[in-house]
Amino acid sequence: MIIALNNKSNFTKEEFLEYKEKLNKIQKNANLILCPTNLYIGLVEQSNIGLGAQNVSKTSCGAYTGEISATQLKSMGVKYCIVGHSERRKYQHETDEEINQKVKLLLKEEIIPIICVGEEKEERETNRQNEVIAKELEEALKDLTIEEKKKVIIAYEPIWAIGTGLIPTNEEIEKIINLIKCHLPNTKVLYGGSANENNIEELRKISVIDGYLLGGISLKLEKLDIFLEKLEN
Ligand code: PGA
């Protein structure tokens, strides 16, 4: 099981250092990937927790003030990078084309992109989730070879479920994951969106899930510990 922890824009430096020490102690059998705020990447030393970034520049190294390139992430030991999170699509107006550029630059540096896809509430209500997700996948993976496509991880995150406490039914999640695996048979697919220590026993019944992308609960280690415990036992 892959468990990616998306800290988003949280923690001061001191808080993060304390968090990181505690996280090392709750390591379970799951394959944990920590995605701290990009600023703190250099504070994470080599351990059995995978290091991920939350974003990458759409350009290579060069005169791009404020940007962090895939080459720079690699040089800091980053192995994974979240791409196309709905918060970036919404607040930074990230487009499918930019997401595709980022995916390509990451793969060039052998960093595994964790590509987020998911529908809005209104799209689910009008039963358009399949077409929305198929399009997001197609655009994000445009021009990639079959071999490259095998390397990416997809995170299905219904936008209306992120940070809201709402969650699709197991059947709805399973349908979307099967749809993604139909497009990409050898790809690992995570679920994200209000997954927590209270619903994991229900979620773990979905056999096609390869892991989880966790936001809110990634910040609360006592709850994360219970989540991992319930997931594994
Ligand atoms: P959440 O966030 O677990 O707080 O819903 C998930 C995410 O945004 O990746």
Side-chain angles (χ1 to χ4, degrees):
M1 275 278 153
I2 300 167
I3 306 292
L5 307 173
N6 178 8
N7 284 173
K8 308 192 181 183
S9 192
N10 287 295
F11 296 138
T12 61
K13 179 184 170 188
E14 284 68 31
E15 286 166 349
F16 178 71
L17 289 173
E18 196 182 316
Y19 167 86
K20 185 185 62 123
E21 287 311 312
K22 287 191 187 151
L23 180 64
N24 276 324
K25 294 192 188 117
I26 68 159
Q27 169 79 303
K28 297 277 195 305
N29 295 325
N31 177 6
L32 287 188
I33 300 170
L34 174 60
C35 304
T37 305
N38 278 4
L39 184 63
Y40 301 150
I41 281 170
L43 300 175
V44 184
E45 54 287 307
Q46 290 294 337
S47 75
N48 44 3
I49 299 179
L51 181 56
Q54 294 178 17
N55 181 38
V56 65
S57 173
K58 62 179 177 185
T59 51
S60 310
C61 292
Y64 304 104
T65 304
E67 293 296 323
I68 302 174
S69 70
T71 312
Q72 291 174 312
L73 289 179
K74 187 184 182 186
S75 74
M76 295 300 287
V78 169
K79 302 277 190 288
Y80 303 85
C81 182
I82 299 171
V83 195
H85 191 282
S86 61
E87 286 155 10
R88 293 201 58 82
R89 291 182 194 254
K90 183 174 174 191
Y91 303 125
Q92 270 68 40
H93 310 292
E94 206 163 88
T95 64
D96 285 329
E97 195 186 348
E98 288 167 337
I99 290 161
N100 178 245
Q101 287 168 347
K102 293 180 180 199
V103 168
K104 287 177 184 161
L105 288 167
L106 289 167
L107 288 172
K108 221 165 124 191
E109 297 295 350
E110 291 172 345
I111 296 173
I112 298 174
I114 301 175
I115 305 170
C116 301
V117 296
E119 79 284 358
E120 298 272 9
K121 181 125 200 79
E122 181 263 330
E123 291 164 338
R124 162 75 57 183
E125 280 164 359
T126 49
N127 202 24
R128 284 186 293 135
Q129 65 277 3
N130 290 9
E131 62 178 276
V132 168
I133 287 158
K135 182 172 174 292
E136 283 180 338
L137 283 179
E138 187 186 273
E139 304 273 333
L141 303 173
K142 203 167 162 195
D143 304 326
L144 260 59
T145 64
I146 293 169
E147 282 311 306
E148 284 174 327
K149 284 182 187 171
K150 282 186 197 164
K151 292 182 188 156
V152 307
I153 295 175
I154 305 295
Y156 168 51
E157 297 208 304
I159 297 168
W160 52 274
I162 296 176
T164 59
L166 300 171
I167 196 161
T169 64
N170 278 10
E171 195 190 346
E172 286 168 337
I173 295 174
E174 189 164 353
K175 272 191 190 156
I176 298 289
I177 294 193
N178 284 335
L179 171 86
I180 296 169
K181 291 196 175 195
C182 190
H183 285 268
L184 301 160
N186 301 301
T187 300
K188 297 252 182 287
V189 184
L190 315 182
Y191 170 77
S194 294
N196 61 37
E197 77 286 8
N198 298 321
N199 54 31
I200 187 57
E201 279 159 314
E202 194 55 30
L203 284 169
R204 62 175 271 191
K205 293 181 189 157
I206 310 171
S207 60
V208 287
I209 288 184
D210 298 302
Y212 297 87
L213 177 53
L214 305 175
I217 195 182
S218 83
L219 307 173
K220 305 200 173 80
L221 291 181
E222 302 78 34
K223 291 184 177 181
L224 180 66
D225 200 14
I226 299 169
F227 177 94
L228 294 173
E229 195 71 37
K230 288 187 177 171
L231 178 65
E232 289 168 16
N233 297 305

